[in-house]
Amino acid sequence: MTSSQTSSFPTVQLSNGLQMPIFGMGTSQIGGYSHEAIVYALRDCGIRLIDTSKYNDFEEELAVAVKESGVPRSDLWLTNKLWPLDYGYETAKKAFQQSCSHMGVEYLDLYMLHWPDSMQPGRCNREARAESWRALEELYEQGKCRAIGVSNFVIHHLQQLKEDCTVVPHVNQVEYHPLQQPNELIEYCRQEGIAFEGYCPLAKGQVLDNPTVLQLAQKYGRSPAQICIRWSVQNGVITIPKSTKKERVRENCQVFEFQLEEEDMAALGKLHDGRHVSWDPTNVQ
């Protein structure tokens, strides 16, 4: 697939009618940033969803990679996140504009609250979230964000936001892999019309040597990573694996070439052990 072609990956319809790619590429401080891998993903693999955050500090590098890829801005789905230290009505709007400037864009496809804790001593987390969300609602109404969402929010955070604000988040992005399956949260999101997005689909490598995963990899003639990513997208979860290697990016994209049988989906669904390999927001008030 070349840059002149649009992505052939499936999409998920958000509550506002937009079609968000079900598969994309994440970026993270862990493992570093690869300009070559991002350009390859966009130009040669048809990936259109790129997820980043101010915290990762790759905004300016992404601007260069996007430009080099040759993919038109209108074909991309760019996601960024508001860091908690910027929570607040005015500070959120300022941080948004700075991120857009660094990324070389006039709008974002999805802008999210990154974490339910404001990380600001003495400040009520709920009030900080509500203030920030009102700023995101305004940016959304002005067309500067095509969609707005949250990351690492559990049910009580979403319930509070619903009580305090007007627009229900279009997306909730949380850790999701066979070892961490927050099924009650997924069901709540679906009932509320919130698209569910999962990060760390490989559990930072901790799931790749699981006997069930290895058995299925052998059965399907695929890698353990492909089995886990396929399981995620086949569950209807927007999935954003990270990689700094071109061969891994290509491999990840090949998960749409096969389908897991129902019994194998069920077997992977039994691997949940509750572990978090990233942040655990469960006890954040």
Side-chain angles (χ1 to χ4, degrees):
M1 178 172 290
T2 67
S3 61
S4 62
Q5 296 172 292
T6 57
S7 174
S8 60
F9 298 132
T11 59
V12 171
Q13 182 168 304
L14 305 186
S15 60
N16 62 0
L18 292 181
Q19 298 289 334
M20 179 175 177
I22 197 170
F23 177 78
M25 188 169 179
T27 59
S28 172
Q29 290 182 329
I30 299 174
Y33 174 83
S34 171
H35 173 84
E36 184 181 35
I38 295 291
V39 173
Y40 178 74
L42 293 170
R43 185 174 60 199
D44 300 306
C45 298
I47 287 178
R48 295 294 178 261
L49 163 59
I50 300 293
D51 180 278
T52 193
S53 69
K54 176 181 177 179
Y55 174 74
N56 288 333
D57 198 27
F58 299 135
E59 294 172 329
E60 294 179 349
E61 288 88 342
L62 276 175
V64 176
V66 167
K67 183 176 181 180
E68 186 175 323
S69 76
V71 178
R73 171 67 184 93
S74 58
D75 289 349
L76 296 172
W77 186 283
L78 299 180
T79 297
N80 205 328
K81 306 179 190 74
L82 178 70
W83 187 239
L85 294 180
D86 293 320
Y87 281 7
Y89 179 74
E90 293 295 341
T91 50
K93 290 194 293 182
K94 182 178 180 181
F96 170 82
Q97 295 297 343
Q98 289 176 337
S99 286
C100 284
S101 177
H102 291 160
M103 294 181 72
V105 298
E106 296 181 353
Y107 69 94
L108 290 173
D109 297 280
L110 175 62
Y111 196 51
M112 317 175 85
L113 301 184
H114 200 153
W115 178 246
D117 191 332
S118 71
M119 299 182 182
Q120 300 176 28
R123 192 166 192 199
C124 172
N125 289 334
R126 179 172 182 172
E127 291 178 1
R129 292 192 296 263
E131 279 186 40
S132 306
W133 189 252
R134 282 193 288 273
L136 267 61
E137 288 180 331
E138 184 175 305
L139 293 168
Y140 174 62
E141 290 166 1
Q142 294 172 346
K144 296 180 180 180
C145 306
R146 299 179 69 219
I148 51 178
V150 294
S151 184
N152 299 297
F153 277 40
V154 295
I155 292 175
H156 68 269
H157 302 135
L158 294 169
Q159 289 174 329
Q160 290 174 355
L161 202 61
K162 184 179 178 181
E163 293 171 3
D164 296 340
C165 302
T166 303
V167 179
V168 174
H170 299 114
V171 179
N172 183 24
Q173 180 192 103
V174 304
E175 181 181 332
Y176 181 75
H177 46 76
L179 307 178
Q180 174 55 233
Q181 303 179 42
N183 292 324
E184 289 185 13
L185 175 60
I186 293 173
E187 182 57 31
Y188 176 85
C189 287
R190 288 179 175 163
Q191 289 176 356
E192 296 295 326
I194 303 170
F196 190 83
E197 182 175 13
Y199 66 82
C200 289
L202 309 182
K204 295 184 178 178
Q206 293 183 28
V207 71
L208 298 181
D209 60 356
N210 180 276
T212 299
V213 174
L214 292 172
Q215 179 183 5
L216 293 178
Q218 183 175 13
K219 174 181 176 178
Y220 289 92
R222 300 285 176 169
S223 70
Q226 287 177 317
I227 295 297
C228 294
I229 295 171
R230 178 65 209 181
W231 171 81
S232 182
V233 297
Q234 197 166 319
N235 276 326
V237 173
I238 300 165
T239 306
I240 47 171
K242 304 165 186 173
S243 181
T244 59
K245 301 181 184 302
K246 294 198 315 186
E247 60 271 21
R248 294 300 186 192
V249 174
R250 169 60 68 182
E251 179 183 290
N252 292 344
C253 293
Q254 293 170 344
V255 300
F256 297 95
E257 298 174 358
F258 72 102
Q259 185 166 336
L260 296 171
E261 296 176 5
E262 186 175 339
E263 61 181 13
D264 297 328
M265 290 290 291
L268 292 167
K270 295 177 181 177
L271 297 183
H272 173 79
D273 62 13
R275 83 178 71 175
H276 284 273
V277 299
S278 187
W279 302 338
D280 182 357
T282 307
N283 295 319
V284 176
Q285 297 302 309

